[in-house]
């Protein structure tokens, strides 16, 4: 193998290793979201505390991945698809860290609720939204692993459903608070948890938009995704290695 081929082979290995580490970070964050939701629904303060304690692991992975991206940019000077890959990963790990923060927020609310006599129907009101957001996040990670633009676009569309359900939960909780002022504190905690889940959906959508940019070189953040799909089918942008 000549020197040029060796350098390119090594670069490909670095990029693949970077993608694998992003997926590992995503898997950890997915666990945090699942545990936070379980702690909330089951009023499990011990599990909630473990979620909060592990948040530093997610933060540490973000720092290490940022440093690796900076190193590759400085030493390899990537272009075209490889450069898009690095930029998309930098943005993706930021959103993953923020999803971890939202999981930590849900865990802290779960700890607070475990000390209150909050009606179970209020607590359980967000379970469906939580499962919906978890499934959306899992599908986003699967799309990232496969570099699947069509899968990413399908996940992006799901965020509308999350927003609709979040607004429905808010209306329901406002009714609780109007009917019984004693329920305000507990209901507000549920509102914060529902808001955190809605934000996880937003960050998940962002990750899928970065994936579309990474693979096709198209920025779909501020466009109708139904309109963007036909254009993406015709895209001849350079693919990342």
């Amino acid at each position: 193998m000549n020197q040029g081929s060796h350098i390119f082979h090594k670069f490909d290995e670095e990029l693949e290793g970077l993608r694998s580490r992003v997926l590992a970070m995503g898997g950890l964050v997915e666990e945090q979201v699942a545990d936070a939701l379980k702690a909330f629904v089951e009023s499990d303060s011990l599990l909630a505390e473990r979620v909060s304690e592990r948040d530093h692991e997610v933060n540490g992975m973000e720092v290490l991945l940022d440093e690796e991206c900076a190193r590759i940019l400085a030493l390899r000077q990537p272009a075209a698809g490889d450069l898009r890959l690095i930029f998309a990963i930098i943005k993706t790990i930021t959103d993953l860290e923020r999803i971890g923060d939202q999981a930590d927020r849900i865990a802290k609310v779960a700890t607070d609720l475990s000390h209150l006599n909050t009606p179970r129907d209020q607590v359980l009101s967000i379970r469906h939204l939580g499962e919906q957001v978890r499934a959306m996040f899992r599908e986003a990670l699967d799309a990232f692993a496969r570099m699947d633009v069509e899968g990413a676009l399908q996940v992006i569309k799901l965020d509308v459903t999350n927003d609709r359900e979040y607004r429905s939960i808010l209306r329901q909780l406002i009714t609780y608070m109007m009917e019984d002022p004693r329920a305000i504190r507990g209901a507000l905690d549920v509102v914060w948890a529902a808001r955190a889940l809605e934000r996880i959906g937003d960050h998940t959508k962002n990750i899928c938009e970065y994936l579309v940019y990474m693979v096709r070189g198209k920025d779909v953040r501020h466009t109708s995704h139904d309109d963007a799909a036909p254009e993406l089918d015709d895209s001849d942008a350079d693919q990342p290695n």
Side-chain angles (χ1 to χ4, degrees):
M1 181 181 294
N2 61 41
Q3 183 67 17
S5 297
H6 175 77
I7 291 173
F8 284 124
H9 180 68
K10 180 66 174 176
F11 185 30
D12 288 343
E13 288 181 346
E14 290 175 350
L15 293 179
E16 187 56 36
L18 195 59
R19 288 182 61 235
S20 295
R21 290 167 66 186
V22 172
L23 288 169
M25 181 180 178
L28 176 57
V29 172
E30 185 180 5
E31 289 179 13
Q32 293 293 85
V33 172
D35 287 346
L37 184 61
K38 182 178 180 181
F40 184 88
V41 171
E42 298 180 3
S43 298
D44 188 337
S45 59
L46 292 178
L47 180 58
E49 288 174 9
R50 288 200 295 271
V51 171
S52 295
E53 289 169 358
R54 294 186 67 192
D55 188 52
H56 72 277
E57 295 181 40
V58 175
N59 297 339
M61 294 180 82
E62 181 195 20
V63 171
L64 290 175
L65 281 165
D66 263 338
E67 290 174 350
E68 179 65 9
C69 287
R71 187 192 68 80
I72 291 175
L73 286 171
L75 296 180
R76 302 298 187 185
Q77 299 181 355
D82 293 332
L83 183 60
R84 292 200 309 272
L85 172 63
I86 299 297
F87 282 152
I89 283 177
I90 290 171
K91 288 179 173 291
T92 294
I93 60 178
T94 297
D95 274 280
L96 287 175
E97 190 275 334
R98 289 174 179 170
I99 291 173
D101 286 345
Q102 296 300 330
D104 182 37
R105 184 166 299 170
I106 294 169
K108 285 182 168 60
V109 170
T111 300
D112 189 36
L113 281 177
S114 68
H115 303 300
L116 297 176
N117 189 26
T118 305
R120 289 294 295 165
D121 56 346
Q122 290 187 28
V123 174
L124 295 177
S125 66
I126 72 165
R127 181 164 57 181
H128 184 263
L129 174 61
E131 293 300 332
Q132 194 168 272
V133 168
R134 279 187 60 202
M136 179 182 176
F137 183 48
R138 184 167 54 250
E139 290 172 17
L141 293 178
D142 288 345
F144 185 94
R146 300 191 308 269
M147 306 290 276
D148 179 3
V149 170
E150 183 57 38
L153 289 172
Q154 292 303 314
V155 173
I156 289 168
K157 294 176 182 178
L158 294 175
D159 193 51
V160 175
T161 305
N162 291 338
D163 293 342
R164 187 182 304 120
E165 184 150 353
Y166 170 65
R167 290 192 295 269
S168 175
I169 291 170
L170 285 186
R171 288 193 295 269
Q172 180 181 353
L173 291 169
I174 289 170
T175 300
Y176 278 128
M177 289 185 281
M178 291 176 64
E179 291 177 348
D180 184 2
R182 294 171 299 177
I184 290 177
R185 181 180 173 186
L188 283 176
D189 277 340
V190 179
V191 167
W192 295 130
R195 175 59 176 165
L197 288 169
E198 191 269 340
R199 291 297 297 145
I200 289 173
D202 288 343
H203 290 304
T204 299
K205 182 182 74 168
N206 291 345
I207 290 169
C208 288
E209 290 171 343
Y210 305 147
L211 173 59
V212 172
Y213 174 73
M214 182 197 310
V215 177
R216 297 295 180 85
K218 299 292 184 180
D219 188 344
V220 297
R221 288 177 297 175
H222 305 294
T223 62
S224 166
H225 302 301
D226 288 333
D227 293 338
E231 180 182 356
L232 289 170
D233 289 338
D234 297 332
S235 174
D236 57 358
D238 295 333
Q239 303 288 318
N241 292 335

